[in-house]
Amino acid sequence: MANPKTNFAPAIQVFKPHRASLPPLIPYLKEFWRRRAFAIELSRFADKAEYLDSKLGKVWLVMNPLLLAFVYFLLVTVIRGGSTQKTGLSTLAHILIGLFTFYFASNSINGGALSITAGGRLILNQAFPRALLPLSSSISAFWQFLPTLPVYVLVVVIGKVFFPHTQIPGLRLSYLWAPFIILCVGITGYGMGLLFATMNVYFRDTNKLLSYITRIWLYSSPVLWRPEILHGWHKIFLYINPLGPSLAATSDVWIEGRTPSLGMLVGSVVWALLAVLIGGYFFVSRERDFAVRI
Amino acid sequence: MPEELAIRIEDLSIKYKINIDTKKTLKNAVMRASKGEKVRTRIVEAVKHLTLDVPHGSVLGIVGANGAGKSTLMRAIAGILPPTEGQITVNGKISTLLALGVGFNPALSGRDNIILGGLASGMTRAEIEEKTEEIADFAALPDGFIDMPVRTYSSGMYGRVAFSVAVNMTPDILLLDEALSAGDASFKEKSFNRMRELCAEARTIVIVSHALQTVNDLCDSAIWMHKGNMLAKGKPEAIVDQYLKFLDVGTLPSNLEDM
Ligand SMILES: Nc1ncnc2c1ncn2[C@@H]1O[C@H](COP(=O)(O)OP(=O)(O)O)[C@@H](O)[C@H]1O
Ligand SMILES: [Mg+2]
């Protein structure tokens, strides 16, 4: 080989016609892993490009969900007919952390859905595992999500100073579950991003549909309401929602300060796996078609 | 595949399916389904039953009119477009410069784009960082333009960066689609020399170019494509000659009419 220093993997490649079936998975995943730096840098550079001239843009990323959370909090409080000092802060905290987490997933899905159709040039001119593009969107969503966590902590700490009788726990061991749940949310978001990215190649108005889905999805998730209000068979609404278990677990960890129930943990993992397997299947089996259809 | 071959193309056909009347939206799909209509599509055969071997270390030129299927063929060799029929076997690492500006993000600086381009083509972060300076030097943009957003570039500067990225990747196989015409006379000479170097390093190069003199000078062999068919294959001088005659007269030579 002309340059032995570089470790470019497959020496011989064969390109053949394909039906809607998976390419050889092991080489695909190897290549995917080998080029992960591309996805990471792409998201970093996309952020850089977007906020190059506006420092305010980054602030807005945090402000937007924060303000929205306060609006929802007012709405929920009004509907409920006021709240006591005891429950008020925990309602706000619950909405905050729920909304931040939900936004992490939905940003990753929305960004992922557009990543292929928006990546026209790159897709027409370079061969690489296309699943890296939605991954890059998910990474961006994660970097947007991360600074909202200290904002949450800040709101709770300030709140605890003003309302010392609140139920919100301080530092608890249960917080150790948070990274695990965030990972599940991230994987679920990535998997669904893959699914909608594929759909968006075939139907260009998918992202419009997605904005309705996202809204309905938010209202049917335990973000504006506590998961505890569901009893008996109603609990099924938590489990049929891809983000239901992980959002309920989020509430358990942050608001109740307890280890999430086994059901919620298993539910989170199962949905993450389902999303990435189903989304991955649709995406990878059709991605060789993308260049023709873009 | 024989050892000495870099690219083997066997009976390759590539078809595009184009929706004629409607935009591809869910709304339209539902509307059509409710009326029981079918989507009207047209099939464009961009490459038709093409068979070709490219040995290691050879330089192949492709000439042909617009819409002949040259870019489609290049994308297929790069593994971007899947064959509709036939197969392509490629032995070696490919670097592509297909149409100008591989994935260039106009808001980012030239340097950032070089890094992104390198990563997209499969280099590691360390490898591309090591090369960035070399690539930037090769592009030799005036007064610090390399650190300015790409949107402020002239098309010539844009082309210079894109070309520098492609030729400094140390690929085994280099695919250049109408990329040699970038920049001014001095850059052209420099890129021509760099191409010579690459040829001398026994790399395999496929060039699509409308600069027929370049094809003559650089290539060991050439093919002429017309409406998806490979009309002729041979020494570059002969192919370019035939092609020029065709351009002059506007009709195919009679011995090729029936293809
Ligand atoms: N993305 C595409 N979708 C549909 N048709 C295409 C697409 N790209 C190229 N074609 C068609 O394929 C044919 C060959 O195009 P191309 O390979 O770009 O030719 P060339 O590079 O030789 O000018 C043309 O008829 C063109 O209309
Ligand atoms: Mg072309």
Side-chain angles (χ1 to χ4, degrees):
Chain A
M1 213 104 298
N3 189 346
K5 210 174 57 182
T6 44
N7 58 337
F8 292 109
I12 295 195
Q13 286 172 284
V14 180
F15 308 122
K16 274 191 284 204
H18 67 95
R19 298 283 164 264
S21 67
L22 291 173
L25 271 187
I26 306 267
Y28 185 93
L29 291 175
K30 263 194 188 151
E31 196 60 16
F32 182 82
W33 179 247
R34 201 169 68 78
R35 300 204 189 193
R36 63 194 182 281
F38 171 56
I40 295 167
E41 294 299 317
L42 188 61
S43 82
R44 206 167 66 85
F45 279 125
D47 273 10
K48 193 171 163 188
E50 200 160 338
Y51 302 113
L52 216 50
D53 359 67
S54 75
K55 290 275 174 300
L56 223 61
K58 273 210 170 348
V59 177
W60 185 243
L61 282 179
V62 176
M63 285 304 284
N64 185 38
L66 189 66
L67 291 176
L68 215 72
F70 277 106
V71 171
Y72 281 129
F73 169 67
L74 286 179
L75 269 176
V76 168
T77 312
V78 168
I79 289 172
R80 215 194 264 146
S83 64
T84 64
Q85 213 211 78
K86 218 168 160 214
T87 58
L89 184 63
S90 58
T91 305
L92 176 65
H94 169 77
I95 292 176
L96 264 182
I97 194 68
L99 212 57
F100 288 166
T101 310
F102 184 87
Y103 263 63
F104 170 35
S106 84
N107 282 342
S108 149
I109 294 167
N110 282 304
L114 290 175
S115 63
I116 299 301
T117 44
R121 263 252 164 105
L122 209 52
I123 287 182
L124 276 178
N125 293 331
Q126 287 281 0
F128 57 87
R130 309 303 189 198
L132 287 167
L133 291 181
L135 179 67
S136 154
S137 305
S138 292
I139 295 170
S140 289
F142 177 73
W143 289 122
Q144 293 178 16
F145 166 69
L146 216 54
T148 60
L149 288 181
V151 170
Y152 168 81
V153 171
L154 196 70
V155 170
V156 168
V157 167
I158 293 174
K160 274 173 92 85
V161 171
F162 283 97
F163 307 102
H165 297 297
T166 177
Q167 301 160 326
I168 303 260
L171 216 53
R172 289 283 179 89
L173 229 50
S174 70
Y175 282 14
L176 290 176
W177 281 103
F180 176 75
I181 294 160
I182 290 167
L183 182 70
C184 288
V185 172
I187 295 174
T188 310
Y190 174 53
M192 300 192 64
L194 287 172
L195 185 69
F196 284 109
T198 313
M199 243 182 104
N200 205 35
V201 170
Y202 294 89
F203 304 109
R204 295 304 164 92
D205 52 353
T206 299
N207 59 319
K208 272 190 213 143
L209 181 74
L210 201 53
S211 71
Y212 293 111
I213 294 177
T214 311
R215 202 152 306 166
I216 296 169
W217 195 2
L218 173 63
Y219 299 146
S220 52
S221 295
V223 171
L224 303 185
W225 44 272
R226 293 287 195 90
E228 289 82 44
I229 66 169
L230 296 178
H231 293 290
W233 68 269
H234 285 136
K235 276 210 155 81
I236 195 116
F237 287 112
L238 278 185
Y239 288 101
I240 60 171
N241 176 350
L243 288 175
S246 42
L247 285 169
T250 300
S251 174
D252 272 340
V253 166
W254 295 94
I255 309 300
E256 311 292 342
R258 65 183 176 216
T259 300
S261 73
L262 189 65
M264 293 306 158
L265 288 175
V266 171
S268 308
V269 173
V270 167
W271 268 119
L273 289 179
L274 272 182
V276 85
L277 286 179
I278 294 174
Y281 174 78
F282 272 101
F283 187 96
V284 175
S285 62
R286 278 164 183 79
E287 70 163 53
R288 284 163 296 179
D289 243 20
F290 292 170
V292 189
R293 290 177 176 272
I294 261 183
Chain B
M1 184 163 93
E3 273 277 304
E4 72 275 10
L5 288 187
I7 305 166
R8 160 160 275 187
I9 302 170
E10 292 160 281
D11 196 31
L12 174 77
S13 293
I14 295 177
K15 293 176 184 152
Y16 291 103
K17 199 166 145 191
I18 307 173
N19 273 15
I20 299 179
D21 29 32
T22 54
K23 268 176 71 185
K24 296 189 296 184
T25 61
L26 213 54
K27 196 173 123 215
N28 287 339
V30 173
M31 296 276 273
R32 265 197 316 274
S34 67
K35 288 188 209 149
E37 283 173 16
K38 274 201 147 173
V39 200
R40 286 204 298 155
T41 56
R42 219 186 99 194
I43 305 276
V44 176
E45 266 198 281
V47 176
K48 299 171 191 163
H49 302 289
L50 191 138
T51 299
L52 182 68
D53 284 342
V54 184
H56 274 301
S58 69
V59 183
L60 174 75
I62 305 179
V63 298
N66 290 330
K70 306 181 299 290
S71 299
T72 304
L73 177 63
M74 295 289 256
R75 293 201 166 109
I77 296 172
I80 296 164
L81 285 177
T84 315
E85 284 166 45
Q87 85 172 39
I88 303 174
T89 315
V90 171
N91 185 358
K93 185 235 159 198
I94 303 182
S95 166
T96 52
L97 180 48
L98 305 174
L100 284 185
V102 178
F104 275 66
N105 185 332
L108 295 171
S109 73
R111 200 180 295 276
D112 288 348
N113 270 299
I114 291 173
I115 294 175
L116 215 47
L119 290 169
S121 74
M123 298 174 89
T124 66
R125 176 91 213 199
E127 280 167 343
I128 184 67
E129 258 166 11
E130 196 186 303
K131 278 234 148 64
T132 306
E133 213 45 51
E134 199 180 320
I135 294 172
D137 281 350
F138 189 91
L141 299 187
D143 353 296
F145 258 102
I146 197 74
D147 291 309
M148 307 265 284
V150 167
R151 74 180 131 76
T152 63
Y153 287 19
S154 72
S155 68
M157 286 154 77
Y158 196 83
R160 285 166 81 136
V161 177
F163 183 81
S164 309
V165 173
V167 295
N168 285 295
M169 292 285 182
T170 60
D172 303 317
I173 300 170
L174 178 62
L175 306 176
L176 296 173
D177 190 349
E178 297 182 23
L180 282 173
S181 43
D184 46 31
S186 78
F187 188 75
K188 262 189 199 136
E189 190 181 326
K190 192 158 129 188
S191 47
F192 190 81
N193 289 338
R194 174 72 186 145
M195 296 291 300
R196 272 267 160 76
E197 260 173 63
L198 290 173
C199 300
E201 284 170 25
R203 299 190 197 284
T204 312
I205 304 177
V206 182
I207 302 172
V208 169
S209 182
H210 291 296
L212 299 176
Q213 192 52 47
T214 316
V215 173
N216 260 342
D217 290 345
L218 282 176
C219 300
D220 310 323
S221 64
I223 64 171
W224 171 18
M225 287 185 73
H226 187 71
K227 294 189 176 161
N229 292 306
M230 185 170 73
L231 284 192
K233 175 169 92 175
K235 285 269 149 239
E237 295 79 17
I239 299 296
V240 165
D241 238 32
Q242 279 186 335
Y243 179 55
L244 278 175
K245 274 200 195 108
F246 159 75
L247 287 182
D248 259 358
V249 186
T251 52
L252 295 179
S254 54
N255 60 324
L256 298 170
E257 276 292 309
D258 51 334
M259 284 198 69

